[in-house]
Amino acid sequence: MKKLLLSITTFCVFGITFAQNSNERLTPWSLGITGGINFSKTFSGDTLAQNFSSRNKTGVNIGGLVSYDINDNISVNSGLSLITKGYRIYNDSLKTNAKISRSIPGIVVPLGLTFRQQFNASRFIVEKVGVAVNYSFGYGDDTLYNGSNKRFRVTENRITPVYPIYYLGIGLGGNTAKGNRYEFGLTYQQPFGREMELTVAGGEFLNKKFLLNYRGGNLQATFTYHFNFGNFKKSDEYFY
């Protein structure tokens, strides 16, 4: 009986000491990876001609980020993400080749704040707000057709590939036993200006024209995992 009590006591002391040492290794800094899908389209305030519609284009985003915890509830975040977004325009009067789809790759560098509110020991609600710089590449002033029959087209007038955006986000997250964090969230990015002006032409001899604006805004659904820098340190604990 005495040996059993001694074993239990030793186990408890070891467990408490290990937990304390693990917490001591944690730092305010974390390195994260994030990825997900996004939805983008032309500016929703534009008026389209009859029989034309603008629909969401699905893209992907993946990147890395660095976070610094000001306290348990607020963090400063920055990083770099690769993103593909764009638009889809449909001529609903056509039975075949009725769409023009455009995918635009880019880089986004954000700087913002994250706020967390705990609703139990390991789960929290998260809100995000910040600004970012977007750079779109891999395209110029192009003309796109719906197919070989060329029944309608989109002519792009590039305004600027580099522009500022602001973003707002909300999500749910949790803490792991080692002090890392994970988050599931939705983030909306909205540019301050326009990336391109689009001239859409259709009808007989492509004589029916109207303008649309592509601003580069998008809605993202993402998963993010934060690795605490303290977990990268070599442990000083040795057992003999």
Side-chain angles (χ1 to χ4, degrees):
M1 185 67 178
K2 290 182 179 180
K3 291 183 178 180
L4 178 60
L5 291 174
L6 180 61
S7 299
I8 294 174
T9 302
T10 303
F11 177 80
C12 292
V13 171
F14 172 78
I16 293 172
T17 302
F18 179 78
Q20 289 175 342
N21 289 336
S22 297
N23 289 333
E24 288 173 359
R25 287 202 303 270
L26 299 182
T27 75
W29 292 94
S30 63
L31 180 66
I33 55 174
T34 183
I37 61 174
N38 64 77
F39 307 93
S40 56
K41 61 185 299 186
T42 58
F43 180 50
S44 58
D46 289 341
T47 300
L48 285 81
Q50 186 177 7
N51 297 324
F52 284 85
S53 60
S54 178
R55 305 180 192 179
N56 284 320
K57 172 71 175 177
T58 303
V60 297
N61 45 273
I62 185 171
L65 55 89
V66 176
S67 298
Y68 178 81
D69 295 343
I70 299 175
N71 55 43
D72 290 340
N73 303 110
I74 303 175
S75 300
V76 180
N77 310 285
S78 187
L80 185 147
S81 294
L82 299 176
I83 186 171
T84 59
K85 50 189 178 178
Y87 60 84
R88 292 191 301 165
I89 299 174
Y90 279 73
N91 184 339
D92 299 320
S93 65
L94 299 179
K95 294 182 179 180
T96 60
N97 297 323
K99 71 175 180 179
I100 291 176
S101 180
R102 180 61 144 162
S103 183
I104 302 169
I107 296 173
V108 178
V109 180
L111 178 62
L113 294 173
T114 297
F115 304 93
R116 293 179 296 277
Q117 294 85 46
Q118 299 283 150
F119 59 86
N120 63 32
S122 61
R123 301 289 186 270
F124 55 81
I125 299 173
V126 61
E127 301 91 24
K128 298 180 180 181
V129 61
V131 295
V133 175
N134 180 96
Y135 171 67
S136 297
F137 57 89
Y139 74 101
D141 294 335
D142 297 330
T143 298
L144 310 174
Y145 289 90
N146 65 313
S148 58
N149 59 2
K150 297 185 178 181
R151 297 290 300 278
F152 83 102
R153 73 184 179 205
V154 174
T155 302
E156 299 176 345
N157 176 24
R158 191 176 190 180
I159 297 173
T160 177
V162 183
Y163 49 85
I165 61 179
Y166 69 89
Y167 66 87
L168 301 170
I170 189 170
L172 297 174
N175 301 303
T176 70
K178 292 186 177 182
N180 299 326
R181 285 198 301 265
Y182 59 89
E183 300 166 4
F184 297 90
L186 292 174
T187 302
Y188 178 69
Q189 295 184 343
Q190 178 61 56
F192 290 100
R194 298 181 299 165
E195 182 173 331
M196 289 189 296
E197 183 181 75
L198 310 176
T199 302
V200 183
E204 189 177 6
F205 305 115
L206 300 177
N207 59 359
K208 183 179 181 181
K209 298 181 181 180
F210 61 96
L211 297 178
L212 293 177
N213 292 289
Y214 175 75
R215 302 183 66 179
N218 65 96
L219 177 66
Q220 300 179 1
T222 58
F223 173 74
T224 306
Y225 196 92
H226 303 261
F227 298 90
N228 191 281
F229 268 70
N231 290 320
F232 298 136
K233 296 179 181 179
K234 184 177 181 181
S235 175
D236 295 328
E237 298 169 19
Y238 297 92
F239 303 96
Y240 300 90

